[in-house]
Amino acid sequence: MYSEKADYDKMALALTESIRIEGPSEFSNPYAEQGLFVRISEDNGDSLLYNDIPSQTDMGRGFFGVYLNLADKSLFIEGSRKIAADGLQYKSFFRYDLSQQFRECLNLIWKIALLYLLIVFMIIRKGKKSDIKLFEPLRIMSAQANRLSANNLHSERLNVEGTKNELKDLANVINAMLDRIESAYESQKQFVSNASHELRTPIAVIQGYANLLNRWGSSNPEVLQESIEAIQNESRAMQDLVEKLLLLSRHDRKTLKLNKKNFNMRRVVEDMVKETRLVAQNRVINSPIMEDVFVYGDKQALKQAIRIFIDNAVKYTNDGDEITISCENVNGDCVITVTDTGIGMTREDVEHIFDRFYRSEYVRNKNISGHGLGLSLAKMIIIAHTGRIKVRSQFKKGSSFIVTLPRRKFIRL
Ligand code: ADP
């Protein structure tokens, strides 16, 4: 019995010593001691074999607790356990002061928090610096864009040197847009200047004849007649010019309205052939093919376009020349052809005849009247009907204008 207790003593001593924390306890807990404590007794609880559990310890039925005091930064843990085996009762109790470790841990948390704040601050500062660097090209671009006006549109472009790829792409896109705006602006300027130029001539002629009338008109019937005819002709030409200008500008402003309906193009072309035979009696007008073909479009506008081709055929042919006008139904598409055996055009002329105010050198030198707007207008009308125009011409041999208006496609639902 005694030797058993001695063994327990030894074992308990070894156990407590190996675990007991050395050094003074800093926390102000009610218990003085810390470590692992053991009490061994016989099962009936009468004879005590070994005990080093402090006397005021409340063993309860076994527990585990963590005691934390934030005010004095103290932390300790304690627990107890009871086991019965082989007729013996073992009670163990432990208590450890972890205040030191707790304080060190708190210190570490503070240090980590400070370090974290420092890193965040540095990242923000660095971010700000790199933001400034990153947005610098944008700032330059916006300053350049601010300087842009109609007067320096041709010279100012965004500088793409040294910018990052994405910004370079953006600057290139803006520059390409500026190029397009510039060319549209230039062509508008050119259009206005050409239009004023074209209007100046008839106004000068009308003024000249009005002066002539003022001076001699009342006394000289010949002057009177000539002046009236000239003024009538010039004002008619001016009216025609102004109407074309208006139509083109309406198209540019996208306010041109088309009143589309289904109609038989054959009737329209036949009427125009009749009219042409009446006004151009010294030309031979042929109309070999006339087929029924229904077109969905603005009848007046399409008539105006076809009239331009026919008027040109009359204007740019000589007495006795032939003009052939046909209307065909090609698988539902409407094909209108106006061919003449007139003055024809060079290859270069054909490339430019649809440009506004373009007139061939040859017709300018021959003083054939015109403003160079008819074909631009005709093209605009045909394209508005999703049609296309083909031109074949040989200088001094004749020309052929072939207009195709596609049949209306119905969508099956
Ligand atoms: P305009 O006839 O008033 O000059 P258009 O736009 O109708 O204006 O025609 C542009 C130019 O195309 C004409 O000046 C002329 O040089 C050329 N052209 C058009 N139709 C013919 C044609 N049938 N034969 C020869 N040249 C033509």
Side-chain angles (χ1 to χ4, degrees), residues 244 308-309 312-317 340 342-345 349 353-355 358-361 363 368-376 393 398-399 401:
K244 282 179 179 158
I308 288 166
F309 296 115
N312 278 351
V314 174
K315 200 156 65 167
Y316 301 116
T317 47
D340 66 65
I343 60 170
M345 288 173 273
D349 289 333
I353 50 174
F354 292 102
D355 296 348
Y358 182 85
R359 306 201 71 213
S360 74
E361 194 71 31
V363 305
I368 305 174
S369 68
H371 303 288
L373 287 176
L375 289 182
S376 327
S393 190
S399 313
F401 288 82

PDB file of all heavy atoms in Angstrom, residues 244 308-309 312-317 340 342-345 349 353-355 358-361 363 368-376 393 398-399 401, ligand 1:
ATOM      1  N   LYS A 244     -32.734  71.137-107.094  1.00  0.00           N
ATOM      2  CA  LYS A 244     -31.771  70.035-106.913  1.00  0.00           C
ATOM      3  C   LYS A 244     -30.976  70.221-105.623  1.00  0.00           C
ATOM      4  O   LYS A 244     -30.747  69.259-104.869  1.00  0.00           O
ATOM      5  CB  LYS A 244     -30.819  69.964-108.109  1.00  0.00           C
ATOM      6  CG  LYS A 244     -31.476  69.301-109.311  1.00  0.00           C
ATOM      7  CD  LYS A 244     -30.560  69.258-110.483  1.00  0.00           C
ATOM      8  CE  LYS A 244     -31.274  68.565-111.648  1.00  0.00           C
ATOM      9  NZ  LYS A 244     -30.701  68.921-112.934  1.00  0.00           N
ATOM     10  N   ILE A 308     -33.573  62.435-115.497  1.00  0.00           N
ATOM     11  CA  ILE A 308     -32.199  62.965-115.521  1.00  0.00           C
ATOM     12  C   ILE A 308     -31.368  62.207-116.575  1.00  0.00           C
ATOM     13  O   ILE A 308     -30.664  62.806-117.382  1.00  0.00           O
ATOM     14  CB  ILE A 308     -31.548  62.889-114.117  1.00  0.00           C
ATOM     15  CG1 ILE A 308     -32.196  63.941-113.203  1.00  0.00           C
ATOM     16  CG2 ILE A 308     -30.034  63.103-114.183  1.00  0.00           C
ATOM     17  CD1 ILE A 308     -31.922  63.780-111.720  1.00  0.00           C
ATOM     18  N   PHE A 309     -31.484  60.863-116.594  1.00  0.00           N
ATOM     19  CA  PHE A 309     -30.713  60.071-117.571  1.00  0.00           C
ATOM     20  C   PHE A 309     -31.163  60.418-118.999  1.00  0.00           C
ATOM     21  O   PHE A 309     -30.335  60.552-119.893  1.00  0.00           O
ATOM     22  CB  PHE A 309     -30.899  58.565-117.323  1.00  0.00           C
ATOM     23  CG  PHE A 309     -30.356  58.124-115.986  1.00  0.00           C
ATOM     24  CD1 PHE A 309     -31.189  57.638-114.987  1.00  0.00           C
ATOM     25  CD2 PHE A 309     -28.992  58.206-115.716  1.00  0.00           C
ATOM     26  CE1 PHE A 309     -30.698  57.251-113.752  1.00  0.00           C
ATOM     27  CE2 PHE A 309     -28.488  57.811-114.474  1.00  0.00           C
ATOM     28  CZ  PHE A 309     -29.352  57.342-113.494  1.00  0.00           C
ATOM     29  N   ASN A 312     -30.067  63.973-120.000  1.00  0.00           N
ATOM     30  CA  ASN A 312     -28.631  63.968-120.316  1.00  0.00           C
ATOM     31  C   ASN A 312     -28.396  63.363-121.696  1.00  0.00           C
ATOM     32  O   ASN A 312     -27.572  63.857-122.471  1.00  0.00           O
ATOM     33  CB  ASN A 312     -27.846  63.171-119.273  1.00  0.00           C
ATOM     34  CG  ASN A 312     -27.557  63.996-118.024  1.00  0.00           C
ATOM     35  OD1 ASN A 312     -27.801  65.204-118.013  1.00  0.00           O
ATOM     36  ND2 ASN A 312     -27.067  63.345-116.991  1.00  0.00           N
ATOM     37  N   ALA A 313     -29.130  62.275-121.988  1.00  0.00           N
ATOM     38  CA  ALA A 313     -28.970  61.627-123.298  1.00  0.00           C
ATOM     39  C   ALA A 313     -29.300  62.626-124.415  1.00  0.00           C
ATOM     40  O   ALA A 313     -28.611  62.673-125.450  1.00  0.00           O
ATOM     41  CB  ALA A 313     -29.858  60.391-123.380  1.00  0.00           C
ATOM     42  N   VAL A 314     -30.335  63.441-124.172  1.00  0.00           N
ATOM     43  CA  VAL A 314     -30.702  64.451-125.178  1.00  0.00           C
ATOM     44  C   VAL A 314     -29.620  65.531-125.231  1.00  0.00           C
ATOM     45  O   VAL A 314     -29.166  65.935-126.310  1.00  0.00           O
ATOM     46  CB  VAL A 314     -32.090  65.074-124.852  1.00  0.00           C
ATOM     47  CG1 VAL A 314     -32.415  66.217-125.806  1.00  0.00           C
ATOM     48  CG2 VAL A 314     -33.183  64.009-124.893  1.00  0.00           C
ATOM     49  N   LYS A 315     -29.218  65.991-124.046  1.00  0.00           N
ATOM     50  CA  LYS A 315     -28.261  67.103-123.952  1.00  0.00           C
ATOM     51  C   LYS A 315     -26.895  66.753-124.544  1.00  0.00           C
ATOM     52  O   LYS A 315     -26.257  67.583-125.177  1.00  0.00           O
ATOM     53  CB  LYS A 315     -28.115  67.463-122.469  1.00  0.00           C
ATOM     54  CG  LYS A 315     -27.584  68.831-122.204  1.00  0.00           C
ATOM     55  CD  LYS A 315     -27.978  69.364-120.822  1.00  0.00           C
ATOM     56  CE  LYS A 315     -27.386  68.593-119.678  1.00  0.00           C
ATOM     57  NZ  LYS A 315     -27.506  69.282-118.384  1.00  0.00           N
ATOM     58  N   TYR A 316     -26.456  65.518-124.317  1.00  0.00           N
ATOM     59  CA  TYR A 316     -25.101  65.150-124.743  1.00  0.00           C
ATOM     60  C   TYR A 316     -25.080  64.334-126.034  1.00  0.00           C
ATOM     61  O   TYR A 316     -24.201  63.496-126.244  1.00  0.00           O
ATOM     62  CB  TYR A 316     -24.368  64.428-123.592  1.00  0.00           C
ATOM     63  CG  TYR A 316     -24.294  65.306-122.360  1.00  0.00           C
ATOM     64  CD1 TYR A 316     -24.929  64.954-121.173  1.00  0.00           C
ATOM     65  CD2 TYR A 316     -23.608  66.532-122.399  1.00  0.00           C
ATOM     66  CE1 TYR A 316     -24.886  65.769-120.057  1.00  0.00           C
ATOM     67  CE2 TYR A 316     -23.563  67.362-121.279  1.00  0.00           C
ATOM     68  CZ  TYR A 316     -24.207  66.970-120.118  1.00  0.00           C
ATOM     69  OH  TYR A 316     -24.166  67.812-119.019  1.00  0.00           O
ATOM     70  N   THR A 317     -26.085  64.561-126.899  1.00  0.00           N
ATOM     71  CA  THR A 317     -26.086  63.955-128.248  1.00  0.00           C
ATOM     72  C   THR A 317     -26.285  65.087-129.259  1.00  0.00           C
ATOM     73  O   THR A 317     -26.668  66.203-128.886  1.00  0.00           O
ATOM     74  CB  THR A 317     -27.246  62.944-128.418  1.00  0.00           C
ATOM     75  OG1 THR A 317     -28.446  63.535-127.932  1.00  0.00           O
ATOM     76  CG2 THR A 317     -26.995  61.631-127.721  1.00  0.00           C
ATOM     77  N   ASP A 340     -27.310  56.155-125.517  1.00  0.00           N
ATOM     78  CA  ASP A 340     -27.261  57.174-126.584  1.00  0.00           C
ATOM     79  C   ASP A 340     -26.014  57.005-127.420  1.00  0.00           C
ATOM     80  O   ASP A 340     -25.058  56.349-126.999  1.00  0.00           O
ATOM     81  CB  ASP A 340     -27.333  58.580-125.979  1.00  0.00           C
ATOM     82  CG  ASP A 340     -26.120  58.924-125.145  1.00  0.00           C
ATOM     83  OD1 ASP A 340     -25.001  59.007-125.702  1.00  0.00           O
ATOM     84  OD2 ASP A 340     -26.272  59.102-123.898  1.00  0.00           O
ATOM     85  N   GLY A 342     -24.173  59.550-128.360  1.00  0.00           N
ATOM     86  CA  GLY A 342     -23.692  60.938-128.291  1.00  0.00           C
ATOM     87  C   GLY A 342     -22.191  61.082-128.050  1.00  0.00           C
ATOM     88  O   GLY A 342     -21.386  60.253-128.496  1.00  0.00           O
ATOM     89  N   ILE A 343     -21.844  62.114-127.254  1.00  0.00           N
ATOM     90  CA  ILE A 343     -20.428  62.513-127.109  1.00  0.00           C
ATOM     91  C   ILE A 343     -19.619  61.537-126.246  1.00  0.00           C
ATOM     92  O   ILE A 343     -18.398  61.539-126.280  1.00  0.00           O
ATOM     93  CB  ILE A 343     -20.318  63.934-126.523  1.00  0.00           C
ATOM     94  CG1 ILE A 343     -20.973  63.989-125.132  1.00  0.00           C
ATOM     95  CG2 ILE A 343     -20.951  64.969-127.451  1.00  0.00           C
ATOM     96  CD1 ILE A 343     -20.700  65.285-124.388  1.00  0.00           C
ATOM     97  N   GLY A 344     -20.281  60.738-125.481  1.00  0.00           N
ATOM     98  CA  GLY A 344     -19.579  59.746-124.649  1.00  0.00           C
ATOM     99  C   GLY A 344     -18.694  60.391-123.594  1.00  0.00           C
ATOM    100  O   GLY A 344     -18.658  61.619-123.443  1.00  0.00           O
ATOM    101  N   MET A 345     -17.968  59.544-122.868  1.00  0.00           N
ATOM    102  CA  MET A 345     -17.111  60.062-121.778  1.00  0.00           C
ATOM    103  C   MET A 345     -15.802  59.280-121.713  1.00  0.00           C
ATOM    104  O   MET A 345     -15.747  58.131-122.153  1.00  0.00           O
ATOM    105  CB  MET A 345     -17.813  59.870-120.434  1.00  0.00           C
ATOM    106  CG  MET A 345     -18.983  60.763-120.192  1.00  0.00           C
ATOM    107  SD  MET A 345     -19.829  60.285-118.681  1.00  0.00           S
ATOM    108  CE  MET A 345     -20.932  59.051-119.256  1.00  0.00           C
ATOM    109  N   ASP A 349     -13.814  60.473-116.602  1.00  0.00           N
ATOM    110  CA  ASP A 349     -15.108  61.139-116.390  1.00  0.00           C
ATOM    111  C   ASP A 349     -16.086  60.182-115.718  1.00  0.00           C
ATOM    112  O   ASP A 349     -16.773  60.557-114.757  1.00  0.00           O
ATOM    113  CB  ASP A 349     -15.713  61.589-117.737  1.00  0.00           C
ATOM    114  CG  ASP A 349     -14.940  62.747-118.338  1.00  0.00           C
ATOM    115  OD1 ASP A 349     -14.325  63.492-117.566  1.00  0.00           O
ATOM    116  OD2 ASP A 349     -14.933  62.863-119.586  1.00  0.00           O
ATOM    117  N   ILE A 353     -18.558  61.179-112.538  1.00  0.00           N
ATOM    118  CA  ILE A 353     -19.816  61.845-112.916  1.00  0.00           C
ATOM    119  C   ILE A 353     -20.868  61.873-111.807  1.00  0.00           C
ATOM    120  O   ILE A 353     -21.771  62.692-111.844  1.00  0.00           O
ATOM    121  CB  ILE A 353     -20.452  61.220-114.206  1.00  0.00           C
ATOM    122  CG1 ILE A 353     -20.525  59.712-114.073  1.00  0.00           C
ATOM    123  CG2 ILE A 353     -19.739  61.696-115.449  1.00  0.00           C
ATOM    124  CD1 ILE A 353     -21.270  59.064-115.219  1.00  0.00           C
ATOM    125  N   PHE A 354     -20.736  60.995-110.804  1.00  0.00           N
ATOM    126  CA  PHE A 354     -21.727  61.015-109.717  1.00  0.00           C
ATOM    127  C   PHE A 354     -21.306  61.949-108.578  1.00  0.00           C
ATOM    128  O   PHE A 354     -22.026  62.089-107.592  1.00  0.00           O
ATOM    129  CB  PHE A 354     -21.983  59.602-109.195  1.00  0.00           C
ATOM    130  CG  PHE A 354     -22.677  58.729-110.208  1.00  0.00           C
ATOM    131  CD1 PHE A 354     -21.961  57.799-110.941  1.00  0.00           C
ATOM    132  CD2 PHE A 354     -24.035  58.876-110.460  1.00  0.00           C
ATOM    133  CE1 PHE A 354     -22.592  57.006-111.889  1.00  0.00           C
ATOM    134  CE2 PHE A 354     -24.678  58.097-111.410  1.00  0.00           C
ATOM    135  CZ  PHE A 354     -23.954  57.155-112.140  1.00  0.00           C
ATOM    136  N   ASP A 355     -20.111  62.578-108.706  1.00  0.00           N
ATOM    137  CA  ASP A 355     -19.691  63.555-107.685  1.00  0.00           C
ATOM    138  C   ASP A 355     -20.458  64.850-107.920  1.00  0.00           C
ATOM    139  O   ASP A 355     -20.679  65.245-109.072  1.00  0.00           O
ATOM    140  CB  ASP A 355     -18.185  63.869-107.807  1.00  0.00           C
ATOM    141  CG  ASP A 355     -17.331  62.649-107.531  1.00  0.00           C
ATOM    142  OD1 ASP A 355     -17.893  61.655-107.029  1.00  0.00           O
ATOM    143  OD2 ASP A 355     -16.130  62.697-107.844  1.00  0.00           O
ATOM    144  N   TYR A 358     -19.606  67.814-110.582  1.00  0.00           N
ATOM    145  CA  TYR A 358     -18.611  67.367-111.574  1.00  0.00           C
ATOM    146  C   TYR A 358     -19.194  67.466-112.978  1.00  0.00           C
ATOM    147  O   TYR A 358     -20.305  67.016-113.260  1.00  0.00           O
ATOM    148  CB  TYR A 358     -18.167  65.921-111.315  1.00  0.00           C
ATOM    149  CG  TYR A 358     -17.102  65.487-112.320  1.00  0.00           C
ATOM    150  CD1 TYR A 358     -15.764  65.779-112.100  1.00  0.00           C
ATOM    151  CD2 TYR A 358     -17.460  64.845-113.508  1.00  0.00           C
ATOM    152  CE1 TYR A 358     -14.796  65.423-113.037  1.00  0.00           C
ATOM    153  CE2 TYR A 358     -16.495  64.492-114.449  1.00  0.00           C
ATOM    154  CZ  TYR A 358     -15.174  64.787-114.198  1.00  0.00           C
ATOM    155  OH  TYR A 358     -14.221  64.452-115.133  1.00  0.00           O
ATOM    156  N   ARG A 359     -18.409  68.059-113.882  1.00  0.00           N
ATOM    157  CA  ARG A 359     -18.784  68.124-115.305  1.00  0.00           C
ATOM    158  C   ARG A 359     -17.519  67.826-116.092  1.00  0.00           C
ATOM    159  O   ARG A 359     -16.433  68.283-115.738  1.00  0.00           O
ATOM    160  CB  ARG A 359     -19.305  69.510-115.687  1.00  0.00           C
ATOM    161  CG  ARG A 359     -20.435  69.982-114.793  1.00  0.00           C
ATOM    162  CD  ARG A 359     -21.256  71.061-115.449  1.00  0.00           C
ATOM    163  NE  ARG A 359     -22.061  70.517-116.531  1.00  0.00           N
ATOM    164  CZ  ARG A 359     -22.366  71.177-117.641  1.00  0.00           C
ATOM    165  NH1 ARG A 359     -21.900  72.389-117.834  1.00  0.00           N
ATOM    166  NH2 ARG A 359     -23.105  70.624-118.570  1.00  0.00           N
ATOM    167  N   SER A 360     -17.654  67.072-117.188  1.00  0.00           N
ATOM    168  CA  SER A 360     -16.438  66.713-117.926  1.00  0.00           C
ATOM    169  C   SER A 360     -15.848  67.958-118.588  1.00  0.00           C
ATOM    170  O   SER A 360     -16.553  68.921-118.890  1.00  0.00           O
ATOM    171  CB  SER A 360     -16.758  65.639-118.962  1.00  0.00           C
ATOM    172  OG  SER A 360     -17.456  66.219-120.038  1.00  0.00           O
ATOM    173  N   GLU A 361     -14.541  67.869-118.769  1.00  0.00           N
ATOM    174  CA  GLU A 361     -13.794  68.963-119.411  1.00  0.00           C
ATOM    175  C   GLU A 361     -14.438  69.299-120.761  1.00  0.00           C
ATOM    176  O   GLU A 361     -14.636  70.454-121.121  1.00  0.00           O
ATOM    177  CB  GLU A 361     -12.359  68.436-119.625  1.00  0.00           C
ATOM    178  CG  GLU A 361     -11.323  69.479-119.959  1.00  0.00           C
ATOM    179  CD  GLU A 361     -11.003  70.359-118.755  1.00  0.00           C
ATOM    180  OE1 GLU A 361     -11.085  69.862-117.621  1.00  0.00           O
ATOM    181  OE2 GLU A 361     -10.705  71.544-118.992  1.00  0.00           O
ATOM    182  N   VAL A 363     -17.561  68.861-121.907  1.00  0.00           N
ATOM    183  CA  VAL A 363     -18.844  69.597-121.923  1.00  0.00           C
ATOM    184  C   VAL A 363     -18.673  71.028-121.418  1.00  0.00           C
ATOM    185  O   VAL A 363     -19.365  71.934-121.869  1.00  0.00           O
ATOM    186  CB  VAL A 363     -19.989  68.873-121.161  1.00  0.00           C
ATOM    187  CG1 VAL A 363     -20.206  67.480-121.655  1.00  0.00           C
ATOM    188  CG2 VAL A 363     -19.769  68.869-119.667  1.00  0.00           C
ATOM    189  N   ILE A 368     -21.918  73.449-122.883  1.00  0.00           N
ATOM    190  CA  ILE A 368     -23.238  72.807-122.760  1.00  0.00           C
ATOM    191  C   ILE A 368     -23.742  73.119-121.345  1.00  0.00           C
ATOM    192  O   ILE A 368     -23.010  72.913-120.375  1.00  0.00           O
ATOM    193  CB  ILE A 368     -23.153  71.278-123.004  1.00  0.00           C
ATOM    194  CG1 ILE A 368     -22.497  71.011-124.360  1.00  0.00           C
ATOM    195  CG2 ILE A 368     -24.527  70.633-122.921  1.00  0.00           C
ATOM    196  CD1 ILE A 368     -22.219  69.553-124.662  1.00  0.00           C
ATOM    197  N   SER A 369     -24.990  73.607-121.256  1.00  0.00           N
ATOM    198  CA  SER A 369     -25.481  74.067-119.938  1.00  0.00           C
ATOM    199  C   SER A 369     -25.633  72.904-118.959  1.00  0.00           C
ATOM    200  O   SER A 369     -25.859  71.753-119.361  1.00  0.00           O
ATOM    201  CB  SER A 369     -26.818  74.780-120.094  1.00  0.00           C
ATOM    202  OG  SER A 369     -27.784  73.826-120.476  1.00  0.00           O
ATOM    203  N   GLY A 370     -25.539  73.215-117.701  1.00  0.00           N
ATOM    204  CA  GLY A 370     -25.675  72.177-116.660  1.00  0.00           C
ATOM    205  C   GLY A 370     -24.926  72.590-115.409  1.00  0.00           C
ATOM    206  O   GLY A 370     -24.105  73.511-115.442  1.00  0.00           O
ATOM    207  N   HIS A 371     -25.235  71.885-114.315  1.00  0.00           N
ATOM    208  CA  HIS A 371     -24.590  72.237-113.039  1.00  0.00           C
ATOM    209  C   HIS A 371     -23.811  71.067-112.437  1.00  0.00           C
ATOM    210  O   HIS A 371     -23.182  71.215-111.398  1.00  0.00           O
ATOM    211  CB  HIS A 371     -25.645  72.680-112.031  1.00  0.00           C
ATOM    212  CG  HIS A 371     -26.466  73.822-112.502  1.00  0.00           C
ATOM    213  ND1 HIS A 371     -25.974  75.090-112.606  1.00  0.00           N
ATOM    214  CD2 HIS A 371     -27.752  73.881-112.937  1.00  0.00           C
ATOM    215  CE1 HIS A 371     -26.920  75.899-113.064  1.00  0.00           C
ATOM    216  NE2 HIS A 371     -28.012  75.172-113.277  1.00  0.00           N
ATOM    217  N   GLY A 372     -23.929  69.922-113.049  1.00  0.00           N
ATOM    218  CA  GLY A 372     -23.211  68.762-112.508  1.00  0.00           C
ATOM    219  C   GLY A 372     -23.866  68.181-111.267  1.00  0.00           C
ATOM    220  O   GLY A 372     -23.191  67.561-110.433  1.00  0.00           O
ATOM    221  N   LEU A 373     -25.191  68.383-111.118  1.00  0.00           N
ATOM    222  CA  LEU A 373     -25.872  67.857-109.920  1.00  0.00           C
ATOM    223  C   LEU A 373     -26.862  66.739-110.238  1.00  0.00           C
ATOM    224  O   LEU A 373     -27.263  66.000-109.349  1.00  0.00           O
ATOM    225  CB  LEU A 373     -26.645  68.986-109.215  1.00  0.00           C
ATOM    226  CG  LEU A 373     -25.818  70.016-108.473  1.00  0.00           C
ATOM    227  CD1 LEU A 373     -26.720  71.104-107.913  1.00  0.00           C
ATOM    228  CD2 LEU A 373     -25.038  69.373-107.330  1.00  0.00           C
ATOM    229  N   GLY A 374     -27.240  66.648-111.537  1.00  0.00           N
ATOM    230  CA  GLY A 374     -28.294  65.710-111.929  1.00  0.00           C
ATOM    231  C   GLY A 374     -27.977  64.276-111.536  1.00  0.00           C
ATOM    232  O   GLY A 374     -28.795  63.606-110.879  1.00  0.00           O
ATOM    233  N   LEU A 375     -26.800  63.790-111.901  1.00  0.00           N
ATOM    234  CA  LEU A 375     -26.486  62.381-111.626  1.00  0.00           C
ATOM    235  C   LEU A 375     -26.338  62.092-110.132  1.00  0.00           C
ATOM    236  O   LEU A 375     -26.681  60.994-109.687  1.00  0.00           O
ATOM    237  CB  LEU A 375     -25.220  61.966-112.388  1.00  0.00           C
ATOM    238  CG  LEU A 375     -25.382  61.836-113.915  1.00  0.00           C
ATOM    239  CD1 LEU A 375     -24.090  61.376-114.566  1.00  0.00           C
ATOM    240  CD2 LEU A 375     -26.514  60.867-114.279  1.00  0.00           C
ATOM    241  N   SER A 376     -25.846  63.090-109.365  1.00  0.00           N
ATOM    242  CA  SER A 376     -25.747  62.867-107.902  1.00  0.00           C
ATOM    243  C   SER A 376     -27.141  62.649-107.345  1.00  0.00           C
ATOM    244  O   SER A 376     -27.356  61.766-106.492  1.00  0.00           O
ATOM    245  CB  SER A 376     -25.152  64.066-107.170  1.00  0.00           C
ATOM    246  OG  SER A 376     -24.212  64.716-107.943  1.00  0.00           O
ATOM    247  N   SER A 393     -19.520  53.652-121.253  1.00  0.00           N
ATOM    248  CA  SER A 393     -19.383  54.814-122.139  1.00  0.00           C
ATOM    249  C   SER A 393     -18.089  54.738-122.934  1.00  0.00           C
ATOM    250  O   SER A 393     -17.088  54.161-122.480  1.00  0.00           O
ATOM    251  CB  SER A 393     -19.396  56.086-121.288  1.00  0.00           C
ATOM    252  OG  SER A 393     -19.492  57.202-122.132  1.00  0.00           O
ATOM    253  N   GLY A 398     -20.667  57.207-127.439  1.00  0.00           N
ATOM    254  CA  GLY A 398     -21.963  57.152-126.775  1.00  0.00           C
ATOM    255  C   GLY A 398     -21.889  56.570-125.374  1.00  0.00           C
ATOM    256  O   GLY A 398     -20.822  56.108-124.931  1.00  0.00           O
ATOM    257  N   SER A 399     -23.020  56.620-124.682  1.00  0.00           N
ATOM    258  CA  SER A 399     -23.059  56.147-123.284  1.00  0.00           C
ATOM    259  C   SER A 399     -24.316  55.332-123.039  1.00  0.00           C
ATOM    260  O   SER A 399     -25.301  55.459-123.758  1.00  0.00           O
ATOM    261  CB  SER A 399     -23.089  57.328-122.314  1.00  0.00           C
ATOM    262  OG  SER A 399     -22.126  58.278-122.658  1.00  0.00           O
ATOM    263  N   PHE A 401     -26.656  54.062-119.581  1.00  0.00           N
ATOM    264  CA  PHE A 401     -26.909  54.040-118.126  1.00  0.00           C
ATOM    265  C   PHE A 401     -27.941  52.945-117.854  1.00  0.00           C
ATOM    266  O   PHE A 401     -29.032  52.976-118.425  1.00  0.00           O
ATOM    267  CB  PHE A 401     -27.443  55.394-117.652  1.00  0.00           C
ATOM    268  CG  PHE A 401     -26.391  56.479-117.638  1.00  0.00           C
ATOM    269  CD1 PHE A 401     -26.060  57.165-118.803  1.00  0.00           C
ATOM    270  CD2 PHE A 401     -25.726  56.803-116.466  1.00  0.00           C
ATOM    271  CE1 PHE A 401     -25.086  58.152-118.795  1.00  0.00           C
ATOM    272  CE2 PHE A 401     -24.753  57.797-116.450  1.00  0.00           C
ATOM    273  CZ  PHE A 401     -24.431  58.466-117.627  1.00  0.00           C
TER     274      PHE A 401
HETATM  275  P1  ADP B   1     -25.060  68.168-115.800  1.00  0.00           P
HETATM  276  O1  ADP B   1     -25.626  67.369-116.919  1.00  0.00           O
HETATM  277  O2  ADP B   1     -25.939  69.234-115.314  1.00  0.00           O
HETATM  278  O3  ADP B   1     -23.677  68.618-116.080  1.00  0.00           O
HETATM  279  P2  ADP B   1     -25.066  65.665-114.436  1.00  0.00           P
HETATM  280  O4  ADP B   1     -24.762  65.350-113.031  1.00  0.00           O
HETATM  281  O5  ADP B   1     -26.343  65.197-114.967  1.00  0.00           O
HETATM  282  O6  ADP B   1     -24.894  67.225-114.549  1.00  0.00           O
HETATM  283  O7  ADP B   1     -23.904  65.038-115.323  1.00  0.00           O
HETATM  284  C1  ADP B   1     -22.575  65.176-114.911  1.00  0.00           C
HETATM  285  C2  ADP B   1     -21.653  65.049-116.088  1.00  0.00           C
HETATM  286  O8  ADP B   1     -21.689  63.717-116.575  1.00  0.00           O
HETATM  287  C3  ADP B   1     -22.035  65.878-117.239  1.00  0.00           C
HETATM  288  O9  ADP B   1     -21.567  67.191-117.113  1.00  0.00           O
HETATM  289  C4  ADP B   1     -21.354  65.150-118.375  1.00  0.00           C
HETATM  290  O10 ADP B   1     -19.977  65.491-118.414  1.00  0.00           O
HETATM  291  C5  ADP B   1     -21.478  63.706-117.975  1.00  0.00           C
HETATM  292  N1  ADP B   1     -22.620  63.022-118.627  1.00  0.00           N
HETATM  293  C6  ADP B   1     -23.776  62.687-118.049  1.00  0.00           C
HETATM  294  N2  ADP B   1     -24.585  62.027-118.907  1.00  0.00           N
HETATM  295  C7  ADP B   1     -23.906  61.926-120.062  1.00  0.00           C
HETATM  296  C8  ADP B   1     -24.175  61.346-121.314  1.00  0.00           C
HETATM  297  N3  ADP B   1     -25.350  60.739-121.594  1.00  0.00           N
HETATM  298  N4  ADP B   1     -23.222  61.431-122.252  1.00  0.00           N
HETATM  299  C9  ADP B   1     -22.062  62.030-122.009  1.00  0.00           C
HETATM  300  N5  ADP B   1     -21.730  62.599-120.840  1.00  0.00           N
HETATM  301  C10 ADP B   1     -22.641  62.558-119.881  1.00  0.00           C
END
